[in-house]
Amino acid sequence: MQPVLLWSDLFIWLLVAAGVIGAWWSARQPLLAAAWARVGRSRPGMAAATLLAAFALVGLLDSLHYRPQLPAKDGEKAAYSIEVLSVLDALLTPLRTRVEKTYSAPLATRAYAKEMLEIRQPDGSVVKQRDYPRLRHGGAALGDDEGRAGADIAGRALRALAVAALVWLALCALVARRIAGHGAPAAASIEPAGEPLAFGAAWCRLWRGDTAFAWNAVLATLGIVLAIACVLAGLAGEYHVFGTDKVGQDVLYQVLKSVRTALVIGLVTTLVTLPLAVFLGIVAGYFRGWIDDLIQYLYTTLNSIPGVLLIAAAVLMMQVVIDTHPQWFATAAERADLRLLALCFILGLTSWTGLARLLRGEALKLRELEYVQAAQAFGVSDLRILGRHLLPNLMHIVIIALVMDFSGLVLAEAVLSYVGIGVDPTMISFGTMINNARMELGREPVVWWSLTAAFAFMFVLVLAANLLADAVRDAFDPRMAR
Amino acid sequence: MSDKRDLNSTPLLEVSNLSLGFTAGGRTLAAVSGLSFAVAAGETYALLGESGCGKSASALALMRLLPAAGRILGGDVCFEGRELFALPETEMRGVRGGGMAMIFQEPATSLNPVLTVGRQIGEVLARHAGLTGDAAQKRAEKLLAAVGIADPARRLNEYPFQLSGGMKQRVMIAVALAGNPRLLVADEPTTALDVTIQAQILDLLQDLQAEREMGMLLITHDLGVVARMAHRVGVMYAGELVEEAAAADFFATPRHPYTEALFAALPDLSRRGSRLQTIAGQVPTLAAMPAGCRFAPRCPHAWERCRSESPDWSVAGDGHRVRCHLLSEADRRSPVATVVAEAAASTVAASVAAEPVLQVADLKVHFPIRRGILQRTVGHVRAVDGVSLNLTAGRTLALVGESGCGKTTVGKAVLQLLAPTAGSVRLDGREIAGLSRRELRPLRRRMQMVFQDPFASLNPRLTVGEIIAEGMQALLGDARKSAAEMQAAIAALLAQVGLDAGAVDRYPHEFSGGQRQRIAIARALAVQPELLICDEPTSALDVSVQAQILNLLGELQASLGLAYLFITHNFAVVEHLAHEVAVMYLGRIVERGTVEDVLRQPQHPYTKALLSAVPSPKPATGAGGSIIRLPGETPSPSNPPAGCHFHPRCAFATAECRERYPDERALSATRVVRCHLYR
Amino acid sequence: MLAYIVRRLLYAIPILIGVNLLTFALFFVVNTPDDMARMQLGVKRVTPEAIEKWKAERGYDKPLFVNGAAAGVGAVTETIFFEKSARMFAGDFGRAEDGRDIAREIRTRMVPSLAIALPTFVLGLFVTVSFALLLAFFRATPLDFWGVVLCVAMMSISGLFYIIGGQYLFSKIFRLVPISGFGEGLDALRFLVLPVLIGVVSGIGSSTRWYRTIFLEEINKDYVRTARAKGLSETAVLFGHVLRNALIPILTGVVVVIPLLFMGSLLTESFFGIPGLGSYTIDAINAQDFAVVRAMVFIGSVLYIVGLILTDISYTLVDPRIRFN
């Protein structure tokens, strides 16, 4: 096995590192820490964060890539597959490899369309007959006893639920013990940490929501996530839980793979946006004069080109570059990955203007504040004033913008991929899934599962992001905090 | 105030046992408890208190206009025999604006910016007088004329942004009067205005009230305004009424220790050079109200009973009641209360004839006005237009003037935070105007600034230690102090401004306004300046806290020999602290001299008017001199009147005044006036 | 005020030039015309002659900025920049891959685009502002809470879902309206109902929430307290005072997009098979027709700048502070 670091992996892990550093830094800043604590108190916010953490886990597992070693012939150097896999792929090997011929409905044992089948009669003769063919993998363990499918599915689901319940109860107990150990009642922060609570009291407090951190929301969400995940895991081994698509690939697998694409689009784009917006916005507001005029001209010009068209133009040009330089890419995955990154880059370049304008306005206000003038009176250098006095006091806007942008970008990916200027068609994403599946709505009966799965997952992801964004905005907006 | 009123008749407004609170985080904190008072028709009742005592919230509660988080927890408000808290909302709307009207502190934000004046008055006329169309137009014109607005017909079609601050407040008053209210609630009606405008508005309110036999509930923090306006006074402290008396009684013999302390904390000439009495500690927060008397933790006389038992009302005379245990146990009064005259005054006079620290000559700061398609400069705002000053070590020069006169701009131009357009600024004899940033750097540590707003002058993201260290690192960086030395230096500075060394690692939001101002002073002192420019350092603070800061500044000057350029609009502070005074009007100094000369015998008509407009908290002395009321308001510095800038408002203006700006005229060695009256 | 508007108009010139240069750089400097030819011709037919022919047919065989071979003014005019980019200022967009004149195509396709976009815009604005006012009136009540929840949920749904779901539900299941297509005259109406409805519904979530925030921000201002102290009813306060002031920030976001309505909606038009500019753009993108995309980028920016100027003008109408300064 040969580890592969795709460019997007690099950015993702960079982001993780930045997140860790950011957390450490804001823990040291009492005002930021207090704001985060307010986020922690928000029940919808924490429920959303738990969901997002589950998505992030999937995405991160999908961001550790490698090339599996091909079965080596004796004495030869080890050869590696040109196929790049991720840890998630390895975990989902059964889903990835058990491909049917074409469409099949969720949990089906037979295909979606009738085919001419040759049925061997008991007497040995072969009769040709149009029927739904048996799936190669879906419900294979049932053998000929297809009627047992319902009972089998129910049994597997129940067992999975039982496991989920056990794990969940254990987690709850763990949290309750933690609360009991701390003992400090949350609502009254004035009181010092009291003596340890009895476990039962802690348990009650936990579910009454009388904790500084919205543990009850986290645990409730975790319970739902666990239940769904366990049931899916319990059934996915034997059935195609969400059905299969046109080429017979498992839809559940596709949906899970889409998560990483969505996360990359939503997060890596901000890596491009933030430095541009923060630097140009603050500099324009602080220095004013011709620097301000220039930066304003720059973003008004960029802004005046309708976003989709600018993206379309840039993506078209990028496509030309990629198509005319096939020698740059060793594997198809690499090409798709670079195209994804380029898309992030283009999205970032076209979307920094809003935040920059916002920050410029705030910087204009801040530069007139007396603490900035006091620093000027000490002869503190401009760069230091920007970094020490302006940036930290604009951080809340940046954080709010960051979480608010995420959901918009995830939604945009789907639209762009539909228009044909999104991710590489070979890359699995919500957009490509929807794009591939939408034509099938015309069929009779309808192939609804691919679309539904993609839309449902995207909805949950975006809703969670929006809820978290709301909680973060409420907590960080100085007008709200008092 | 001379007219005696029959206070026994049924009062117009009777508030009994009003309690209200604010909800936050699922809990309700009481902000006002057990408030009871009454206002009779034709009477002005002043509710006096420092910020946060609950006086404004009480007024809003009377109108049932508390913000969303506010809750009325109990009590009754009886207005003209009707229980307001029991009225349905539709009837209450008839009371609001019709029965009692309210005017607010900030005229700039209290009027709707996108509606004309006429529309905003017309709304009330339509609602409460049933007037529309021409009749409403006529009535609105009359109202505007009644509040002293010239050319009312034109003003009706104007928008609030086209009016000056004083005119906006007049319009606010006209809006309030439109419904013919029997009670006017005025919530700090003049706090946002300049003294000369304040005097006009107070006169107006007084006249209107007398004319219309209105009751008036005046909410203020200013003892001077109370003395000028009130028939009766109620003092609030931490959500409770602690003393109530007729105005004359109140100013003659204040009885509650808090009230006494308030008077003692007022700076004035008689207490020059000495420490002002301060009130120890701070106003308790809503979350941590003391159990007994709420003032007990800060009261010099408090004993056990005060801490455990909340005092009930004691009658101290005719209509004078006090909430204090001292009234029943007078022997408990400790004698320390009257420590006023400590002899610290003499140290100041030591250093006089030395070389001036700061010499400013003909300083000009002009801001270009750009107009038109190409944004060409079509004129200049002459914010500072030829100011000259001298300041020696250990002395305080007060730069006095109303808002927009350019006094703050002078301060910033001296510090080179703004580039002067012309003129020279010499620090220790060295010219600093026009120096590059590099050249200026070593000079920066000699002069520092203390800003007006203690909440905006400290970066909320830095610890107090970091804030104080910033200047040392930037300007004394060559010394490369070790961390330990730095820590020691910061601790010493904190001690010097009277803060605990534990403050180092804390953040500004954990401190009160007064403490923050101490931190700001420590930050300035960190680089050991010779000159400190204080830009209204106490105007955002309550009187009792202001006294602490003034004391601190006085001590620092005595011990370090600092020179202060003290920018202020408050004459009481000037009297207390300054050695010399310069009075500014529209970018120029119109009169300059020692504090005794200028304040005792003002020569320039503007200085005279300014001094006479300041409401004095001592009614007896204030009424002595002739009262000069300035007409109109300060013109815009972008287009000052020709000749003497002051002539349109001056009662003595002659033809010459309209043509030529008067030259400087030295009346004595220390006295300069710019007025054609003196030649 | 006139000077203000003239100044805004003048400011549009450098921005348009900037847009023009930017698109030129994007289309001709990032990739050479040779690359584009290779792309268009496909792998098999790429020969040097074919490339030259392709370029000559489309006028891409000239130098980018300066034509050294041409005499006089031709040194500047006989270049790709002048022919393809600068002439867009005169409304000359050249020909599409299929040989049709782009400017004419745009003129004919504008009508169906507007027929969809204008009703969607007007109806959407009315619905969202009313909904937001309703929520603001019932602020801090369960109605407000659930209204906001609904908005957040609605804005979390992909625009594609509204279209696909709407088509499936109304056209396929209920068979109320045709799935797609466009007709002449009044016949167009039955094709328009569904796209307009979907356009309005898909915009409700985010717009309502935004307007509600603006209303709430205004409601907390001092002048509202004054209005209440006058004895005005809550409705009078909301409609007479808050709405007027809230209009100012709402206008910023709304007026800018009015001219862009001409551009149509990419998604709606392509899903419903409406022969407007949106579907024109999408087809051009899919066919990699650079000339059309370039033209649309330019037109889009011109319309946006028109929108900016309209915003400025509308400010002067709504905000007396600007009108009189």
Side-chain angles (χ1 to χ4, degrees):
Chain A
M1 170 172 105
Q2 181 192 36
V4 175
L5 189 69
L6 295 177
W7 279 103
S8 58
D9 295 341
L10 180 74
F11 280 112
I12 287 229
W13 292 108
L14 263 180
L15 269 169
V16 171
V20 170
I21 293 172
W24 173 80
W25 184 71
S26 40
R28 283 186 59 235
Q29 287 274 324
L31 284 179
L32 276 184
W36 282 119
R38 280 196 294 275
V39 179
R41 253 198 295 283
S42 151
R43 273 192 276 275
M46 280 302 101
T50 314
L51 266 179
L52 287 178
F55 279 111
L57 182 70
V58 173
L60 287 178
L61 285 177
D62 205 5
S63 298
L64 294 166
H65 285 100
Y66 65 95
R67 284 160 80 170
Q69 192 169 3
L70 293 175
K73 290 169 198 143
D74 289 322
E76 277 182 39
K77 243 181 78 186
Y80 296 98
S81 159
I82 54 160
E83 192 185 21
V84 178
L85 293 178
S86 72
V87 174
L88 185 77
D89 289 325
L91 288 175
L92 299 179
T93 305
L95 289 182
R96 183 167 58 87
T97 51
R98 295 196 310 193
V99 176
E100 304 290 345
K101 227 184 201 158
T102 180
Y103 294 111
S104 70
L107 297 172
T109 54
R110 283 173 177 268
Y112 154 86
K114 281 186 181 170
E115 260 175 48
M116 199 57 81
L117 295 179
E118 292 178 356
I119 294 172
R120 201 169 291 277
Q121 298 288 350
D123 58 9
S125 61
V126 174
V127 179
K128 289 201 173 182
Q129 191 185 342
R130 270 187 78 77
D131 196 5
Y132 298 105
R134 190 77 162 67
L135 291 180
R136 243 176 288 167
H137 304 288
L142 297 170
D144 288 334
D145 195 6
E146 280 177 65
R148 219 159 45 78
D152 184 52
I153 290 168
R156 281 168 189 272
L158 278 177
R159 278 196 297 275
L161 275 179
V163 173
L166 276 179
V167 174
W168 184 68
L169 280 174
L171 277 174
C172 293
L174 217 65
V175 172
R177 271 194 62 143
R178 212 181 112 86
I179 292 172
H182 273 262
S189 51
I190 315 148
E191 294 171 40
E195 59 260 41
L197 281 165
F199 182 80
W203 185 264
C204 285
R205 175 165 281 161
L206 168 64
W207 291 111
R208 271 205 321 269
D210 194 9
T211 47
F213 186 79
W215 278 116
N216 51 354
V218 170
L219 287 175
T221 319
L222 217 54
I224 296 169
V225 171
L226 269 176
I228 293 175
C230 286
V231 169
L232 286 182
L235 292 175
E238 197 53 38
Y239 298 91
H240 298 293
V241 188
F242 291 162
T244 54
D245 74 349
K246 189 173 186 176
V247 294
Q249 203 171 37
D250 192 286
V251 173
L252 175 61
Y253 172 72
Q254 291 185 334
V255 165
L256 289 176
K257 290 289 280 186
S258 299
V259 169
R260 175 178 184 271
T261 317
L263 290 179
V264 170
I265 293 265
L267 295 175
V268 176
T269 302
T270 53
L271 264 190
V272 183
T273 318
L274 277 193
L276 268 176
V278 170
F279 181 74
L280 292 179
I282 296 182
V283 163
Y286 180 73
F287 287 106
R288 301 195 300 188
W290 65 269
I291 297 178
D292 186 21
D293 291 340
L294 190 73
I295 292 173
Q296 276 199 73
Y297 171 73
L298 196 67
Y299 70 58
T300 316
T301 305
L302 261 181
N303 225 12
S304 66
I305 305 175
V308 189
L309 288 176
L310 186 56
I311 294 166
V315 170
L316 275 185
M317 288 305 121
M318 173 193 75
Q319 252 168 313
V320 176
V321 173
I322 288 178
D323 286 355
T324 46
H325 300 92
Q327 71 278 12
W328 289 357
F329 313 101
T331 60
E334 246 175 73
R335 197 189 61 213
D337 182 69
L338 219 68
R339 179 161 168 173
L340 175 67
L341 271 188
L343 183 67
C344 291
F345 200 72
I346 291 167
L347 280 172
L349 278 180
T350 52
S351 64
W352 60 272
T353 53
L355 180 59
R357 179 156 41 185
L358 202 64
L359 289 174
R360 171 182 170 272
E362 286 301 311
L364 272 177
K365 278 184 227 159
L366 281 187
R367 80 185 295 282
E368 299 301 329
L369 278 191
E370 291 171 345
Y371 60 79
V372 175
Q373 300 196 348
Q376 285 167 345
F378 284 123
V380 177
S381 70
D382 286 332
L383 219 60
R384 203 171 154 75
I385 291 180
L386 287 182
R388 205 172 141 98
H389 293 293
L390 260 63
L391 187 60
N393 285 296
L394 293 170
M395 227 37 213
H396 64 278
I397 298 177
V398 175
I399 292 170
I400 293 171
L402 212 147
V403 286
M404 301 266 272
D405 280 354
F406 177 81
S407 52
L409 287 167
V410 173
L411 289 177
E413 186 274 328
V415 173
L416 293 179
S417 294
Y418 165 75
V419 178
I421 47 176
V423 296
D424 194 275
T426 62
M427 177 162 250
I428 303 173
S429 81
F430 290 129
T432 47
M433 277 181 77
I434 293 168
N435 202 12
N436 292 337
R438 75 188 170 89
M439 296 321 290
E440 308 306 331
L441 272 183
R443 281 188 178 230
E444 210 58 56
V446 171
V447 179
W448 49 271
W449 44 89
S450 249
L451 268 182
T452 313
F455 276 132
F457 263 69
M458 199 160 71
F459 173 69
V460 172
L461 177 62
V462 174
L463 183 66
N466 277 332
L467 287 176
L468 183 67
D470 269 13
V472 168
R473 195 197 47 202
D474 289 353
F476 279 82
D477 195 329
R479 278 171 301 188
M480 309 273 184
R482 269 294 148 114
Chain B
M1 252 174 293
S2 51
D3 51 342
K4 288 263 182 270
R5 286 173 198 286
D6 181 13
L7 296 178
N8 295 327
S9 65
T10 349
L12 184 66
L13 172 81
E14 196 165 7
V15 177
S16 40
N17 232 351
L18 175 68
S19 296
L20 58 92
F22 291 94
T23 53
R27 291 196 299 170
T28 304
L29 296 172
V32 172
S33 43
L35 180 68
S36 303
F37 63 90
V39 184
E43 178 192 47
T44 300
Y45 186 95
L47 211 48
L48 173 83
E50 294 184 299
S51 55
C53 72
K55 54 191 192 303
S56 292
S58 306
L60 288 173
L62 300 185
M63 305 273 283
R64 292 199 359 210
L65 281 177
L66 278 177
R71 299 274 179 283
I72 291 170
L73 303 176
D76 299 303
V77 174
C78 187
F79 178 71
E80 297 184 312
R82 291 204 283 176
E83 288 292 340
L84 292 191
F85 290 169
L87 286 185
E89 180 63 21
T90 41
E91 276 183 57
M92 187 63 209
R93 279 188 217 131
V95 175
R96 278 185 215 130
M100 50 170 135
M102 188 158 180
I103 52 180
F104 301 96
Q105 172 170 353
E106 200 55 72
T109 58
S110 295
L111 289 169
N112 191 329
V114 301
L115 299 182
T116 60
V117 168
R119 170 99 190 262
Q120 301 194 45
I121 298 177
E123 248 175 3
V124 190
L125 293 174
R127 172 74 183 79
H128 294 292
L131 290 177
T132 47
D134 275 354
Q137 168 93 7
K138 290 246 161 56
R139 176 74 72 80
E141 277 178 36
K142 261 194 200 144
L143 281 166
L144 281 191
V147 296
I149 287 184
D151 199 0
R154 183 169 65 91
R155 294 293 184 194
L156 280 181
N157 293 318
E158 293 199 338
Y159 291 91
F161 74 95
Q162 291 166 299
L163 310 175
S164 65
M167 275 213 275
K168 279 187 205 134
Q169 195 61 305
R170 285 175 193 268
V171 169
M172 246 338 269
I173 295 171
V175 168
L177 294 180
N180 240 334
R182 270 80 67 201
L183 178 73
L184 186 65
V185 182
D187 185 2
E188 303 264 10
T190 56
T191 306
L193 305 173
D194 280 322
V195 271
T196 56
I197 311 300
Q198 161 169 301
Q200 295 171 359
I201 297 291
L202 292 180
D203 282 349
L204 174 69
L205 285 174
Q206 209 164 30
D207 294 346
L208 288 169
Q209 182 198 22
E211 210 175 282
R212 296 172 171 245
E213 279 286 300
M214 274 190 307
M216 182 150 86
L217 177 61
L218 177 71
I219 288 152
T220 183
H221 70 283
D222 189 333
L223 276 168
V225 171
V226 175
R228 167 107 172 53
M229 301 286 290
H231 303 116
R232 281 195 307 134
V233 187
V235 182
M236 279 187 84
Y237 178 79
E240 280 185 339
L241 206 58
V242 295
E243 180 165 5
E244 190 183 54
D249 274 352
F250 177 77
F251 286 97
T253 52
R255 300 296 293 269
H256 196 279
Y258 172 65
T259 322
E260 289 173 0
L262 271 188
F263 277 102
L266 279 180
D268 69 8
L269 204 51
S270 64
R271 283 190 271 253
R272 268 182 72 86
S274 63
R275 290 178 55 86
L276 293 167
Q277 193 190 327
T278 59
I279 307 179
Q282 297 160 40
V283 179
T285 60
L286 295 187
M289 277 297 167
C293 171
R294 293 185 174 179
F295 188 59
R298 306 175 71 190
C299 181
H301 316 292
W303 69 99
E304 311 78 61
R305 187 178 167 199
C306 301
R307 289 182 197 100
S308 57
E309 183 189 334
S310 184
D312 213 340
W313 286 108
S314 312
V315 175
D318 183 24
H320 193 158
R321 40 182 202 147
V322 185
R323 236 184 199 172
C324 181
H325 290 310
L326 274 180
L327 271 288
S328 52
E329 298 182 56
D331 53 317
R332 292 283 195 166
R333 181 174 283 272
S334 43
V336 272
T338 47
V339 180
V340 178
E342 263 175 32
S346 53
T347 48
V348 187
S351 53
V352 180
E355 165 89 354
V357 178
L358 177 71
Q359 290 167 288
V360 176
D362 206 26
L363 181 71
K364 288 183 183 171
V365 184
H366 295 178
F367 301 107
I369 308 170
R370 296 179 198 282
R371 280 265 163 73
I373 293 165
L374 294 175
Q375 293 290 289
R376 267 178 311 199
T377 306
V378 295
H380 284 97
V381 177
R382 296 161 196 276
V384 177
D385 199 20
V387 162
S388 303
L389 301 166
N390 279 330
L391 181 57
T392 42
R395 302 277 287 180
T396 301
L397 170 66
L399 201 54
V400 194
E402 293 179 288
S403 57
C405 73
K407 54 191 193 300
T408 298
T409 313
V410 171
K412 287 186 180 163
V414 166
L415 268 183
Q416 304 295 312
L417 290 177
L418 285 172
T421 313
S424 104
V425 178
R426 288 171 171 274
L427 187 68
D428 289 329
R430 187 165 165 206
E431 180 62 50
I432 59 169
L435 288 189
S436 73
R437 289 176 69 152
R438 278 253 312 282
E439 294 166 316
L440 211 54
R441 248 181 138 205
L443 296 168
R444 286 223 175 266
R445 59 151 284 260
R446 301 204 191 163
M447 47 179 188
Q448 275 305 315
M449 188 150 180
V450 177
F451 294 89
Q452 172 173 5
D453 182 356
F455 289 88
S457 66
L458 306 177
N459 184 346
R461 308 277 175 191
L462 298 181
T463 64
V464 170
E466 287 168 328
I467 288 170
I468 295 176
E470 178 164 54
M472 293 201 257
Q473 282 158 353
L475 295 180
L476 312 174
D478 48 345
R480 284 275 159 235
K481 288 192 180 180
S482 70
E485 277 176 309
M486 190 74 107
Q487 287 302 319
I490 293 172
L493 281 164
L494 285 174
Q496 202 166 20
V497 297
L499 283 176
D500 196 65
V504 177
D505 293 321
R506 288 161 67 193
Y507 285 81
H509 67 92
E510 299 172 61
F511 295 90
S512 68
Q515 288 172 323
R516 285 162 151 255
Q517 205 58 296
R518 288 172 192 267
I519 297 168
I521 292 171
R523 170 177 62 188
L525 291 180
V527 293
Q528 295 152 12
E530 296 148 33
L531 167 67
L532 207 54
I533 296 172
C534 303
D535 184 6
E536 309 247 20
T538 60
S539 68
L541 305 175
D542 280 322
V543 178
S544 60
V545 182
Q546 163 176 298
Q548 298 171 1
I549 298 298
L550 291 180
N551 282 345
L552 174 65
L553 287 172
E555 285 160 17
L556 290 173
Q557 186 169 54
S559 58
L560 303 174
L562 293 172
Y564 291 148
L565 178 61
F566 205 92
I567 296 161
T568 183
H569 66 278
N570 186 338
F571 276 102
V573 173
V574 175
E575 276 184 321
H576 178 75
L577 189 101
H579 304 102
E580 285 156 79
V581 186
V583 181
M584 275 186 84
Y585 187 75
L586 274 182
R588 296 185 182 178
I589 291 176
V590 295
E591 180 164 8
R592 203 168 71 208
T594 61
V595 80
E596 288 82 2
D597 285 346
V598 174
L599 299 193
R600 292 277 156 71
Q601 282 144 356
Q603 298 297 328
H604 195 284
Y606 177 63
T607 319
K608 286 180 186 167
L610 210 52
L611 280 169
S612 121
V614 179
S616 161
K618 280 162 243 122
T621 55
S626 64
I627 293 171
I628 306 166
R629 285 288 177 266
L630 280 187
E633 295 180 40
T634 315
S636 154
S638 62
N639 187 19
C644 174
H645 293 342
F646 186 61
H647 84 257
R649 305 175 75 190
C650 182
F652 310 100
T654 61
E656 191 181 12
C657 298
R658 281 183 268 280
E659 279 158 21
R660 200 166 56 79
Y661 200 93
D663 293 326
E664 282 198 0
R665 166 115 186 118
L667 297 182
S668 71
T670 55
R671 196 77 194 277
V672 176
V673 181
R674 294 186 90 169
C675 179
H676 290 304
L677 290 177
Y678 304 94
R679 56 184 70 236
Chain C
M1 187 182 107
L2 198 68
Y4 170 75
I5 290 170
V6 171
R7 200 154 54 77
R8 302 302 298 178
L9 275 171
L10 288 180
Y11 190 52
I13 295 172
I15 290 180
L16 271 182
I17 294 173
V19 169
N20 197 281
L21 286 174
L22 189 76
T23 40
F24 179 77
L26 208 59
F27 280 94
F28 292 103
V29 181
V30 174
N31 293 296
T32 61
D34 289 37
D35 292 334
M36 281 192 278
R38 248 174 244 132
M39 183 88 181
Q40 273 289 336
L41 292 169
V43 188
K44 284 172 197 148
R45 286 178 289 149
V46 174
T47 58
E49 298 81 50
I51 291 178
E52 283 311 314
K53 184 163 168 277
W54 187 89
K55 277 162 61 182
E57 274 170 6
R58 287 160 185 78
Y60 289 152
D61 52 349
K62 293 174 180 145
L64 282 183
F65 277 107
V66 183
N67 192 342
V73 193
V76 186
T77 55
E78 285 178 30
T79 57
I80 293 184
F81 176 71
F82 185 81
E83 299 259 306
K84 299 290 164 197
S85 222
R87 280 173 72 166
M88 291 204 284
F89 281 108
D92 176 5
F93 300 108
R95 293 186 176 277
E97 282 295 314
D98 56 11
R100 285 197 242 181
D101 181 44
I102 297 175
R104 254 195 63 198
E105 194 76 358
I106 287 174
R107 274 196 295 277
T108 51
R109 281 171 172 268
M110 231 153 64
V111 180
S113 279
L114 269 186
I116 298 270
L118 205 62
T120 310
F121 171 77
V122 174
L123 209 63
L125 192 63
F126 176 75
V127 169
T128 46
V129 168
S130 318
F131 192 23
L133 269 174
L134 186 79
L135 295 186
F137 186 82
F138 288 103
R139 62 191 173 277
T141 63
L143 180 76
D144 180 32
F145 176 80
W146 290 108
V148 173
V149 169
L150 182 70
C151 286
V152 174
M154 283 182 80
M155 62 189 270
S156 304
I157 296 172
S158 167
L160 292 167
F161 179 81
Y162 285 108
I163 298 178
I164 295 175
Q167 272 187 332
Y168 183 70
L169 200 66
F170 290 100
S171 303
K172 198 148 180 229
I173 305 273
F174 298 143
R175 300 190 177 281
L176 291 176
V177 284
I179 279 198
S180 67
F182 197 68
E184 289 295 316
L186 273 182
D187 185 41
L189 215 59
R190 64 196 178 96
F191 293 102
L192 290 182
V193 176
L194 189 57
V196 168
L197 184 77
I198 287 172
V200 170
V201 170
S202 61
I204 286 182
S206 50
S207 308
T208 304
R209 223 166 65 110
W210 182 47
Y211 298 152
R212 175 183 166 274
T213 319
I214 292 175
F215 287 135
L216 290 189
E217 214 159 89
E218 286 297 326
I219 280 177
N220 286 323
K221 290 196 173 160
D222 280 358
Y223 70 84
V224 177
R225 188 179 58 185
T226 311
R228 291 206 187 103
K230 289 174 181 175
L232 298 181
S233 68
E234 196 58 32
T235 358
V237 170
L238 208 57
F239 285 95
H241 290 263
V242 175
L243 191 58
R244 276 296 302 274
N245 282 282
L247 261 182
I248 297 167
I250 289 177
L251 273 179
T252 340
V254 164
V255 178
V256 177
V257 303
I258 293 177
L260 287 178
L261 295 179
F262 285 98
M263 299 281 289
S265 158
L266 298 184
L267 287 184
T268 318
E269 289 187 9
S270 113
F271 267 101
F272 288 95
I274 288 155
L277 288 177
S279 50
Y280 189 46
T281 314
I282 288 215
D283 294 344
I285 291 170
N286 287 328
Q288 306 198 319
D289 191 335
F290 303 107
V292 175
V293 175
R294 212 164 51 218
M296 296 309 287
V297 166
F298 187 73
I299 292 175
S301 346
V302 172
L303 291 175
Y304 178 83
I305 291 166
V306 172
L308 282 186
I309 293 166
L310 279 185
T311 310
D312 288 336
I313 294 174
S314 62
Y315 269 156
T316 63
L317 297 180
V318 186
D319 193 339
R321 283 163 290 192
I322 294 177
R323 194 178 339 151
F324 289 95
N325 273 4

